[in-house]
């Protein structure tokens, strides 16, 4: 089973990052955390990688339903969405497939939550190439 939903966007990194934030918001997700992985690795290790930001996206009704079904699900929240430069004109956007929550926990009570989250994340990714 693949653990990622992804799309390739024929746009540079910066506008794709902004478009990703907007597409997530359109699907009811807020961004709780933002980690600039490239800047962090440069600062801590003096390592250079292409631009890459991890967005911690959360839709509170889904998070609440997930916690009700599986109290330890916070270990898998928020939904991580990675925006990564491939080259100067191409950006990859990936999200962890929420079905992983069901697979990892073996808790079928998460099925509806995961399906809703997956549908919304898929729509957000699709909006980036529409």
């Amino acid at each position: 089973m693949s653990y990622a939903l992804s799309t390739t966007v024929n746009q540079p990194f910066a506008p794709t990052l902004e478009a990703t934030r907007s597409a997530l918001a359109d699907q009811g997700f807020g961004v709780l955390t933002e980690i600039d992985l490239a800047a962090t690795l440069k600062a801590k290790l003096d390592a250079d990688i292409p631009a890459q930001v991890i967005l911690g996206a959360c839709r509170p009704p889904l998070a609440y339903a997930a916690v009700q079904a599986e109290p330890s699900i916070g270990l898998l929240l928020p939904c991580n969405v990675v925006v990564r430069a491939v080259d100067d004109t191409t950006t990859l956007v990936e999200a962890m497939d929420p079905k992983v929550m069901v697979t990892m926990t073996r808790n079928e009570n998460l099925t509806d939550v995961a399906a809703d989250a997956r549908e919304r994340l898929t729509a957000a990714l699709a909006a980036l190439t529409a």
Side-chain angles (χ1 to χ4, degrees):
M1 172 180 147
S2 173
Y3 61 91
L5 307 171
S6 67
T7 191
T8 300
V9 182
N10 294 317
Q11 291 290 326
F13 176 81
T16 301
L17 179 59
E18 278 306 310
T20 302
R21 287 189 195 106
S22 179
L24 289 168
D26 290 346
Q27 292 299 318
F29 289 94
V31 175
L32 300 178
T33 60
E34 186 166 325
I35 301 166
D36 184 334
L37 190 58
T40 299
L41 294 178
K42 182 65 176 173
K44 300 293 183 184
L45 303 174
D46 196 29
D48 292 308
I49 65 169
Q52 182 167 227
V53 169
I54 303 168
L55 302 174
C58 178
R59 185 165 195 279
L62 290 175
Y64 178 70
V67 169
Q68 295 299 102
E70 178 70 40
S72 293
I73 202 65
L75 293 165
L76 299 175
L77 296 178
C79 296
N80 282 324
V81 178
V82 176
V83 181
R84 177 168 42 100
V86 175
D87 57 37
D88 290 342
T89 61
T90 309
T91 306
L92 182 65
V93 182
E94 300 175 295
M96 188 175 86
D97 189 336
K99 290 192 311 187
V100 170
M101 291 189 307
V102 180
T103 303
M104 288 187 73
T105 63
R106 297 186 184 133
N107 184 340
E108 294 300 320
N109 293 327
L110 290 169
T111 301
D112 291 342
V113 174
D116 187 349
R118 186 177 205 278
E119 182 177 321
R120 291 172 185 278
L121 289 170
T122 299
L125 294 178
L128 297 172
T129 56

